[in-house]
Amino acid sequence: MSDYVISPPPVVSVPVAGGGLFPVRRVFCVGRNYAAHAREMGSDPDRELPFFFCKPADALVINGADMPYPPMSKDLHHEMELVVAIGTGGANIAEADALGHVWGYAAGLDMTRRDLQNAAKKEGKPWDMGKGFDRSAPIGMMIRAADLADPTKGLIELKVNGAVRQTSDLSLLIWSVAETIAYLSKLVTLAPGDLIYTGTPEGVAAVQRGDVLEGVVAGVGTIRTKIV
Ligand code: MN
């Protein structure tokens, strides 16, 4: 018999293409990591160090499931992103070694209650309730790192109801995957199971109930969800 006084939460996991499940520990997200998106949000991208916020692991919406429109918001936005999955942890990881810590990649959506995030920004308050709410992180099937030839370039695109809303290229990331891992590992000790949502390109906008979101990261995979 276990000594737990309530049932422990289930392990959240992401299905891997070809079989298996990637168990998730923490979900880190990079803010403003494409210059054109930083500008559309009113920031100067040129001299900013990367910064991070988190979502709970159980905010993930796995592989094509519906996403319920969240409460307390009238401005739910999509942010299409490349997601990096850490297989080997560490602190102070050198940029040259960083990609060796990656187990896999996936396409994901950093769904955002923009009205709550903007109110928090204005008041200098935390972003958690704008970003880390229930089911705020749809994620597609994961591929192994060995199956992505080059994580530094390739199309990233999101369609809503068939119309292109966001389109860019991974080469336009301000902080590359390797740089992001190196920098984040100075702030926290990364661990196997950690995910990093690497930031979204320009074109973020509101979605409504009934909208179908279909994203792709070239060479990585797709993400699909319907807002219900
Ligand atoms: Mn984002």
Side-chain angles (χ1 to χ4, degrees):
M1 293 295 286
S2 134
D3 289 330
Y4 293 122
V5 296
I6 60 169
S7 298
V11 175
V12 175
S13 59
V14 179
V16 176
L21 296 169
F22 181 89
V24 177
R25 186 167 186 255
R26 295 171 291 186
V27 179
F28 297 99
C29 305
V30 188
R32 298 195 285 259
N33 204 13
Y34 289 81
H37 171 62
R39 286 190 200 99
E40 79 178 348
M41 299 305 290
S43 297
D44 174 2
D46 293 334
R47 292 166 48 217
E48 195 175 45
L49 286 169
F51 70 95
F52 301 88
F53 55 90
C54 293
K55 297 183 185 237
D58 62 7
L60 292 173
V61 174
I62 303 300
N63 198 31
D66 292 343
M67 178 191 168
Y69 197 100
M72 300 290 280
S73 178
K74 293 189 164 117
D75 198 20
L76 175 65
H77 275 206
H78 54 73
E79 295 194 356
M80 180 66 204
E81 310 201 358
L82 169 70
V83 184
V84 176
I86 299 295
T88 313
N92 301 308
I93 295 168
E95 192 186 315
D97 300 333
L99 294 182
H101 291 255
V102 177
W103 192 92
Y105 297 94
L109 286 161
D110 165 18
M111 299 301 290
T112 302
R113 290 193 284 209
R114 193 72 73 200
D115 41 2
L116 298 194
Q117 185 202 22
N118 285 342
K121 278 185 188 174
K122 202 190 237 175
E123 297 168 16
K125 290 178 177 168
W127 290 10
D128 300 49
M129 293 300 110
K131 287 290 196 178
F133 53 93
D134 296 343
R135 307 213 232 172
S136 57
I139 189 166
M141 193 167 275
M142 190 175 291
I143 63 157
R144 292 164 188 272
D147 293 335
L148 179 60
D150 185 355
T152 66
K153 62 182 187 203
L155 175 77
I156 177 168
E157 185 169 87
L158 178 71
K159 292 179 180 173
V160 177
N161 303 326
V164 174
R165 285 270 190 96
Q166 294 187 265
T167 187
S168 187
D169 194 281
L170 298 180
S171 63
L172 296 175
L173 279 167
I174 296 171
W175 298 93
S176 69
V177 170
E179 289 170 331
T180 298
I181 290 168
Y183 191 81
L184 180 57
S185 76
K186 294 181 185 177
L187 291 165
V188 295
T189 300
L190 290 173
D194 288 339
L195 299 183
I196 306 170
Y197 279 63
T198 56
T200 196
E202 69 275 20
V204 301
V207 293
Q208 312 298 334
R209 285 183 185 82
D211 285 349
V212 175
L213 283 60
E214 295 172 292
V216 63
V217 179
V220 172
T222 58
I223 171 65
R224 182 185 192 280
T225 191
K226 182 179 181 184
I227 309 299
V228 297

